[in-house]
Amino acid sequence: MPEISRAWNGFIDLPRELEEGLIEIGRTLPAWNMEGAFLAGSTRERYRAELVAAPLFDDVRDRLLSVLSGATGGYAVVRLGRIAQTLGIEVSFLRLATAILSEVAAPFQPFCRWPLWKEIGTNLDAKPGLSTGTGYNAFHMDLVNATRPPDYTALLCVRPDPLGAGASILSDARAAVSRLTPSSRTLLAEAAYGYGSFFDLCDVGEEYKPFPVLDGEPTNLGFVRFTAKMLAEPGLDEAHAHAARELADRMVAGQVSFTLQRGDVLIVDQHRWVHGREPLGVGQHDVASGERRLLLQLFLRDTGATGPIAS
């Protein structure tokens, strides 16, 4: 069972009857089609027609959407472990997971060179703080330097760390902002921050650099544009760095953590929450490469929303 740092009801366990129905559906779902970077509308319609016929699916979907949109929500974990045990995390399972995520928003892949599901493996040669590294992956939102980042990021656990570490960490970015001093909020609203490169991307707008952490947009449109890695960027003055460090400290103080298990799908609303990962277990060199932690990532766009545009 996942370990979680405080009581929370956002783990979506499926009724056995629904699991059995989804296993049968997963075996017959057709391959998806793409329209540019997005899952084709015809594929979403076909997948939805299959899902709504499954017993109790509407109830589970409604609960998922309620958890994601609720005042204390903003992230959820859909537990598909027993389905993964039957189907394996291969083509049939990925079609089914994609169909379920399509009920939240439109799946798309902003990295033009990658498939719809992007691998996040464990690379012993990568810098420890990167998503593929073995160290602490500090709080961030994905594609922080795009004018239209994905509205949701979804992470599917194919293999947890066999050494028992690498817990996912999340924090309510907007709650953290509310605990800041007024002077820090003023500094964070100024376009003084930057991070990362910007190339070979699709449907995420333009490069946003420098960007403000607080863009002043309503919650459903704006973002708390934060990545701890921006603190190491050259040219950031001490006042703005101090404000960002204060925000980082507030995020850490309010974090939740849990360990994803095989088949778990974590969905994070990027307008409200940031995510990261605790270090993997010591001794990764002793773990065979095919047994190390592996996630798959998929992004979602709320097609009814438009993101903030750099001025």
Side-chain angles (χ1 to χ4, degrees):
M1 292 291 289
E3 296 179 358
I4 188 164
S5 60
R6 68 177 186 228
W8 176 69
N9 64 351
F11 281 97
I12 311 295
D13 288 290
L14 307 188
R16 181 72 73 172
E17 183 180 3
L18 176 57
E19 287 181 327
E20 292 173 354
L22 292 179
I23 288 169
E24 293 307 311
I25 289 170
R27 287 172 170 151
T28 60
L29 280 178
W32 60 65
N33 293 315
M34 302 293 290
E35 293 175 349
F38 283 82
L39 190 71
S42 58
T43 296
R44 294 184 68 192
E45 291 173 5
R46 173 68 185 274
Y47 285 0
R48 170 170 290 180
E50 297 287 344
L51 290 179
V52 298
L56 304 176
F57 178 76
D58 285 349
D59 293 341
V60 170
R61 178 192 58 202
D62 291 348
R63 185 185 170 204
L64 170 60
L65 295 177
S66 176
V67 168
L68 289 173
S69 63
T72 58
Y75 69 100
V77 177
V78 182
R79 310 206 62 206
L80 303 178
R82 285 194 289 263
I83 298 176
Q85 185 176 4
T86 300
L87 295 180
I89 301 184
E90 298 176 358
V91 172
S92 295
F93 181 90
L94 291 181
R95 290 174 184 171
L96 181 61
T98 303
I100 293 170
L101 289 169
S102 296
E103 296 299 299
V104 174
F108 81 114
Q109 181 46 270
F111 298 98
C112 302
R113 58 182 170 155
W114 297 106
L116 186 62
W117 287 92
K118 174 179 175 288
E119 281 197 6
I120 301 178
T122 300
N123 182 354
L124 303 187
D125 296 322
K127 292 181 179 179
L130 295 179
S131 60
T132 57
T134 61
Y136 176 69
N137 184 218
F139 282 126
H140 63 280
M141 63 166 286
D142 291 322
L143 288 152
V144 65
N145 61 335
T147 55
R148 294 194 67 218
D151 296 298
Y152 298 90
T153 184
L155 294 165
L156 163 62
C157 180
V158 178
R159 289 191 302 269
D161 179 9
L163 299 179
S168 296
I169 55 174
L170 296 100
S171 190
D172 184 337
R174 295 189 179 274
V177 168
S178 72
R179 297 191 291 269
L180 294 174
T181 61
S183 60
S184 288
R185 287 198 294 270
T186 297
L187 287 164
L188 291 170
E190 297 174 357
Y193 301 90
Y195 172 72
S197 57
F198 191 90
F199 66 95
D200 204 18
L201 297 173
C202 305
D203 292 285
V204 291
E206 301 173 356
E207 183 174 14
Y208 201 173
K209 185 178 182 181
F211 55 80
V213 174
L214 307 180
D215 56 24
E217 295 281 351
T219 300
N220 65 321
L221 298 179
F223 298 87
V224 179
R225 291 178 178 272
F226 181 85
T227 172
K229 296 181 179 69
M230 69 191 185
L231 287 164
E233 288 292 290
L236 183 62
D237 65 86
E238 181 53 35
H240 288 92
H242 177 80
R245 283 194 294 268
E246 183 185 351
L247 177 56
D249 290 343
R250 299 293 187 186
M251 289 176 173
V252 171
Q255 80 176 36
V256 296
S257 64
F258 47 82
T259 302
L260 294 174
Q261 302 299 318
R262 179 175 169 83
D264 285 348
V265 181
L266 168 63
I267 309 166
V268 182
D269 180 349
Q270 290 220 114
H271 296 276
R272 301 170 61 185
W273 288 75
V274 288
H275 63 283
R277 187 206 63 235
E278 296 285 1
L280 301 185
V282 176
Q284 293 294 320
H285 285 88
D286 297 324
V287 178
S289 60
E291 297 177 4
R292 297 180 191 133
R293 185 178 188 264
L294 173 62
L295 303 182
L296 297 178
Q297 185 174 41
L298 181 145
F299 299 95
L300 301 168
R301 168 77 69 215
D302 182 349
T303 54
T306 56
I309 302 299
S311 58

